[in-house]
Amino acid sequence: MFKQVEDCGYEIVDLTCFDVKKVQSKAMEMAKEGFFVIILGKKEHPEVKAICTNAKIAAQNEEFIYVASSVQALKEIEPQIKSAKKVGVVLQTTQTKEYLLEVIDYLSKICRVLKIENTICPSTSLRQNEAKKLALESDLMVVVGSKKSANTTHLAEILTNITKTIHIEHQDELDIFSEIIKKAQNIGVTAGASTPDLIINEVIKKLENIN
């Protein structure tokens, strides 16, 4: 496709995130080497769709590529996994380390050869770890960012298991949770990787006014 664009006289400027390209590259390498490639992530997410498409082209066989959003999804194709000579795993960059470890624990018991490429974005992992520490000290966490953003949604899901958490996209949504906010003694604020500082600051300012 890129060559067709270039043949039309256009210059291609690839602005794909380095970490996202790394996942695509690892998945394609595994596919070319004959691995049954498992992509850990959300099937309908654009990043996962791109990884999947590139891997299928490299493998030249769609049956050798599978997307799983949970260990349960892997259990549904356990016979296929067991029959594979070698299994390779890559992750959508915004997945969690906990999910990866859960998958490793399961697959290591049923695979003949298992290759794992930890392609979680380092900054995403750091953000999650820092947010978890903050959540342990807070009785309410406010996660700011798009509800369509994978890394922001994951962040909210993780924190929900630690303390009361609300996920908002902008300051106006805080009005819905005003009673919860007023009752909170310690409020922590975190945000998705692409959330502008301006929006975060507006949320913090409104929280101060409410509380």
Side-chain angles (χ1 to χ4, degrees):
M1 182 181 71
F2 285 161
K3 188 176 186 309
Q4 290 177 320
V5 174
E6 289 174 330
D7 288 345
C8 291
Y10 295 100
E11 177 186 358
I12 294 175
V13 180
D14 191 349
L15 299 178
T16 306
C17 167
F18 172 79
D19 291 312
V20 172
K21 285 191 73 78
K22 178 183 175 183
V23 190
Q24 294 178 6
S25 176
K26 294 295 182 182
M28 291 172 69
E29 285 175 16
M30 288 179 176
K32 287 177 182 177
E33 292 170 7
F35 281 83
F36 177 74
V37 180
I38 296 173
I39 303 165
L40 304 182
K42 296 184 177 181
K43 201 172 203 175
E44 297 306 312
H45 193 279
E47 179 188 333
V48 175
K49 285 184 177 180
I51 298 166
C52 197
T53 299
N54 280 287
K56 285 178 180 178
I57 293 172
Q60 298 183 337
N61 189 336
E62 292 191 6
E63 294 181 4
F64 278 75
I65 313 298
Y66 185 75
V67 178
S69 59
S70 66
V71 171
Q72 183 56 43
L74 294 174
K75 289 180 179 178
E76 292 172 7
I77 60 160
E78 187 169 303
Q80 191 175 353
I81 294 172
K82 285 182 175 179
S83 66
K85 291 181 180 178
K86 47 187 181 178
V87 175
V89 176
V90 297
L91 297 93
Q92 179 183 355
T93 55
T94 53
Q95 290 299 301
T96 64
K97 184 179 178 181
E98 288 78 10
Y99 179 35
L100 173 59
L101 293 176
E102 191 181 356
V103 169
I104 292 173
D105 181 62
Y106 169 66
L107 290 179
S108 61
K109 297 170 185 174
I110 64 172
C111 294
R112 287 183 269 181
V113 176
L114 177 62
K115 182 177 181 180
I116 305 287
E117 290 287 354
N118 182 356
T119 50
I120 299 173
C121 170
S123 61
T124 296
S125 293
L126 179 61
R127 185 181 299 270
Q128 290 172 353
N129 290 334
E130 292 301 317
K132 284 190 282 187
K133 290 177 185 176
L134 183 60
L136 290 170
E137 302 170 357
S138 308
D139 50 6
L140 175 65
M141 285 295 295
V142 178
V143 180
V144 188
S146 172
K147 291 182 174 121
K148 294 181 180 179
S149 164
N151 77 80
T152 312
T153 303
H154 274 304
L155 195 55
E157 290 171 353
I158 292 167
L159 300 180
T160 299
N161 294 323
I162 300 173
T163 190
K164 188 183 292 292
T165 301
I166 58 176
H167 179 185
I168 63 170
E169 294 186 331
H170 49 78
Q171 60 168 332
D172 294 341
E173 290 181 74
L174 289 173
D175 293 330
I176 303 169
F177 305 99
S178 59
E179 290 306 312
I180 297 173
I181 294 167
K182 287 175 183 177
K183 291 177 183 177
Q185 297 299 311
N186 297 297
I187 301 175
V189 178
T190 187
S194 57
T195 307
D197 288 344
L198 176 63
I199 292 177
I200 298 170
N201 292 332
E202 287 176 346
V203 167
I204 292 172
K205 185 175 181 180
K206 183 152 186 175
L207 280 171
E208 290 172 343
N209 291 333
I210 293 174
N211 212 30

